[in-house]
Amino acid sequence: MLRLIGRRLLLMVPTLVLASMLIFALAEVLPGDVGRSILGPYATQEQVEQLNRELGADRPLYERYLSWAGGFVTGDWGESLLLKTPVFPVVMRAFGNSLLLALFALVIIVPTSIVVGVFAGLRRDSALDRGITISTLSMTVIPEFVSGVVLLYIFAVWLKWLPVSAMPPEGSPFYERFYYLILPAIPLMFLELGYIARMARVGTVQVLAMPYIRTAVLKGVPRSRVVFGHVLRNAMVPTVTVIGSQVGWLIGGLVVIETLFVYPGIGKLMVDAAQYHDVVMLEASVLLVAVVYMFANLLADIVVALLNPRIRKGG
Amino acid sequence: MADEKFTREYGYHLVDEVLAGRMTRRQLLVRASVFGLSATAIGSLLAACGGGGGGGTTASPSASGSAAMPAPVMGGTLKAQIPPETAGFDPLTIFDQGGIVLVFQFCEYLLTLDDTNALKPQLALEWTPNSDGTVWTFKLRQGVKFNNGQPFEAADVVATFDRALNPKGASGALASLGGILKQGGTVATDTYTVTFNLEKPFADFPYLVCSSAYNTAILPRNYKGDIVKEPIGTGPFMLKPNSYVPKQRASFVKNPYYWGKDAQGNQLPYLDGIDFVMIQDEAAANAQLQAGAIDVEPQTVYQGAQALFVDPNLRVDSYPGTGIREVAFNITKDPWQKKELRQAVAYCLDRKAINDTLYNGRANLGYDTFWEPTVFPGSPTPPERAQDYNKAKQLLAAGGMPNGFTATLTTSKYLENPQLVQLIQQQCKPAGITVTPDIMSSTAYYAGANDVTPWLNYPWTITEWGSRPTPGVYVQAMLLPNSTWNTSHWNNPQFVSAFDSYQGTVDTAARTKYATQASQIQQDDTPIIVPYYITQFRTQRKNVYGIKGPGSFFFFCDEAFKTAS
């Protein structure tokens, strides 16, 4: 098990190096340059070229990459060319916001979808199963920009039950942030519920068909013990893997939700950085999300290994 | 040197023009403001024209829900949305609404614009040209201090313009003042007098140093160049320390040194401060406004915002804008070398239908010239261009394309540009012109060097232009052979000659003559189509009053206040 963790951690290093190179190269392909982003469409080309020279943005790609990478590995994340401010606090603030929203959403989504999915699996082919399947699937197919706008207008603009933005005013106590995150978390729940609940349902249905479950039932083991002791534990393996793969998206992929609910998260930061050629900002934020993504998957694998001794022991 | 005699005589000349019926009272107001006539002098002129002193001459903004102004309330904080600033708010390089609105709160200009686009004093009290418009003298306001307590003097104005016009600098002023004023051309005659020595006569020069020329904000002579570390200016507010989070928020508090007082002598600003929140998405900003989370959005985009117009808690003020959507034919590319084909497209357009669809009929129609009297008072009236398919077909035949042709129309996915492409596509079809839409992101549309960027090089484009205060500023930017943003690559010597004559004289009759010539040439040659002049909308909660400026990024809050409900 420890060897598995060690191997996965070591694998992260070349993955991140490769990712950082790709980001630099891809940013180069995007139309425009940072000088034009700063000075706008109406600056003359001479002014743009002059600024690019001053910023060092006209140096060869490899030179800029090595210069950035040299700083990054020694803890210097660099300065945003666009905002003229150190990247580290900006990225960490946005990352912290995204992490909070993702965790808050997961706390709502994971138990709800597992309960719903397992319940549907246990009542396979019943009206309840079909009802759960249809309703969760319907929620999943609604894009978050549609459900988000509708929820925003119903609960924030018309009923005024919930705040219209995801950030409380400056100086509010920390716990108040959760109240502000309720509305943005709901469209995420809509999206994820159907997906995770279906995995939980399928896992439950498959496990229920296993001979050892039949044996346990025939032996007279109480149904609650069958469900909690055998079904749940084994049915969770695919569900946990899916949840692990969703964490990265929940942190770095919520551009629409962040835009709609005016939430300064890392998704919007990455899009802006890419759009305006702020490569230093883009590198820091994408690599951070990549690390989270890899850790989330590693964590999911560890949980799966704990749930399934055959994986843990290499069987 | 200033020529006060000339200014006085010019005032009499304007009165003669009004009395002779060659000029309206509103036109007099605008022209008088260009030549720095004081409010009292203008009032006297209007009285001399008969009918009282100025009543009815200033077109107030056609606020759809304009309410009677209650007594000002001191204190309170205004919560305002702006789009995120692309690259900070350096006054020398700002170009987008977010950055400009931030600068307008703590910086000031020699002159500013009122709600009708007429010039009015800000840091300069008087401005006069010499007789041929090559030397302009500005008398500065005395007793003004920067927000660090440093007194404002002529040396600060000289330093500001020399900094902005540094040939190796990055300021947008280099383009707007290019060929008119160069570094070293600004001289302090005494502590409170500045003289601008122009490279050529330019009758609209005051507009190039007003708030519309937003890169000419007056900064102190000892400004070091980092506006975030040193947010210094003479404006009514000042940046609250540590409140600026790029692209998220910025807070401003009262500038204790501010010089402004209202008509009753009360110290301005009324508000204690302004909290700006940067919101990119228009739907999100509209929801925030409707929910009461913010008090005002400086620019409301009509498309998608219809709910705001009927919300009983909101007031939408509309301002006849000078911004345009420029439909440019690159005359160096096929098939647009032929004037007849450009004209054919112009006659395919039903401009009223376009206005009705895109602006619910609230925009001013354009007829492919910048001298449009409904937008720029004093301009000669151009012939209207109604939709006429017979004429379009004749022009197609004359242009060697009797069966029509296919052309790609490129624009950015921004504001109503994509919808305008669709309308042009539909309206060109009956004449046999097949339009292929090419909609790209704003980043891609403006990307690349000037010789490759789509907006300056593709055959047929639509580009959005914000407010410009005079036809001359538009022409200077895009219709002269040396214009930096000559999208059409147009080079018409007759037009250049007429335009130079127009800018080189201050005589009203001569200006009208040359404007008529230039306007006729522009419309006839049709290097660009100007289907309409946009209308600007600003939306606020009903308890918010006194925000000034003709819409868009013109967002002046020195006399803004909030009532209890």
Side-chain angles (χ1 to χ4, degrees), chain B residues 149-492:
Chain B
Q150 181 180 327
F152 158 74
E153 294 173 351
D156 300 308
V157 178
V158 174
T160 292
F161 281 91
D162 280 350
R163 195 184 294 116
L165 293 169
N166 175 359
K168 292 189 173 173
S171 176
L174 264 181
S176 60
L177 286 163
I180 297 165
L181 179 68
K182 63 181 177 185
Q183 193 178 31
T186 314
V187 177
T189 317
D190 62 43
T191 312
Y192 294 106
T193 308
V194 174
T195 303
F196 293 94
N197 299 298
L198 308 192
E199 293 181 74
K200 65 177 183 183
F202 204 82
D204 284 332
F205 178 72
Y207 280 105
L208 302 182
V209 296
C210 77
S211 50
S212 175
Y214 38 75
N215 295 122
T216 62
I218 304 298
L219 297 164
R221 71 204 87 159
N222 52 350
Y223 171 65
K224 293 182 190 68
D226 188 337
I227 202 70
V228 178
K229 286 186 186 148
E230 192 188 8
I232 192 163
T234 60
F237 297 94
M238 53 192 219
L239 189 66
K240 190 175 166 186
N242 303 318
S243 74
Y244 173 59
V245 180
K247 299 182 184 245
Q248 289 179 34
R249 60 176 185 274
S251 293
F252 289 83
V253 293
K254 268 184 183 186
N255 169 10
Y257 298 104
Y258 188 55
W259 55 269
K261 290 191 166 50
D262 69 9
Q264 285 71 44
N266 298 312
Q267 178 64 45
L268 296 174
Y270 297 134
L271 290 166
D272 287 335
I274 309 172
D275 288 342
F276 285 101
V277 52
M278 287 71 154
I279 303 174
Q280 180 76 64
D281 186 67
E282 283 142 20
N286 294 345
Q288 297 252 332
L289 196 53
Q290 288 190 277
I294 54 172
D295 296 315
V296 56
E297 57 180 29
Q299 184 176 23
T300 299
V301 177
Y302 181 74
Q303 291 76 28
Q306 283 82 349
L308 303 190
F309 287 77
V310 293
D311 190 318
N313 299 310
L314 303 177
R315 191 176 68 249
V316 185
D317 289 342
S318 56
Y319 299 87
T322 58
I324 59 161
R325 307 292 173 249
E326 176 205 15
V327 184
F329 303 102
N330 184 337
I331 62 164
T332 65
K333 301 273 169 76
D334 279 335
W336 304 120
Q337 292 96 336
K338 289 186 176 156
K339 176 174 86 173
E340 293 81 3
L341 301 185
R342 305 195 294 266
Q343 289 173 332
V345 173
Y347 280 105
C348 286
L349 300 188
D350 181 347
R351 293 157 205 254
K352 185 180 175 304
I354 291 174
N355 184 16
D356 287 345
T357 306
L358 299 180
Y359 279 89
N360 199 19
R362 292 165 193 252
N364 280 309
L365 297 187
Y367 299 105
D368 314 333
T369 158
F370 288 127
W371 284 271
E372 175 50 59
T374 57
V375 181
F376 299 115
S379 300
T381 303
E384 291 188 9
R385 277 186 159 172
Q387 188 180 54
D388 186 342
Y389 284 122
N390 286 333
K391 189 156 190 169
K393 284 176 179 166
Q394 285 168 13
L395 287 163
L396 284 173
M401 298 273 194
N403 299 319
F405 58 92
T406 298
T408 301
L409 180 53
T410 306
T411 193
S412 63
K413 196 177 177 193
Y414 183 57
L415 299 172
E416 79 273 24
N417 291 348
Q419 290 99 313
L420 179 56
V421 170
Q422 277 181 358
L423 289 168
I424 293 174
Q425 184 186 31
Q426 288 164 13
Q427 295 182 358
C428 282
K429 202 175 173 186
I433 302 169
T434 305
V435 178
T436 309
D438 176 20
I439 316 289
M440 52 176 70
S441 73
S442 282
T443 315
Y445 185 70
Y446 291 110
N450 281 17
D451 55 346
V452 292
T453 184
W455 80 285
L456 294 178
N457 295 284
Y458 279 25
W460 193 17
T461 54
I462 297 180
T463 301
E464 67 284 349
W465 287 78
S467 303
R468 296 294 186 279
T470 64
V473 175
Y474 266 124
V475 170
Q476 193 77 20
M478 66 164 90
L479 287 184
L480 300 179
N482 59 352
S483 293
T484 313
W485 310 303
N486 188 341
T487 40
S488 58
H489 299 248
W490 195 45
N491 181 359
N492 186 312

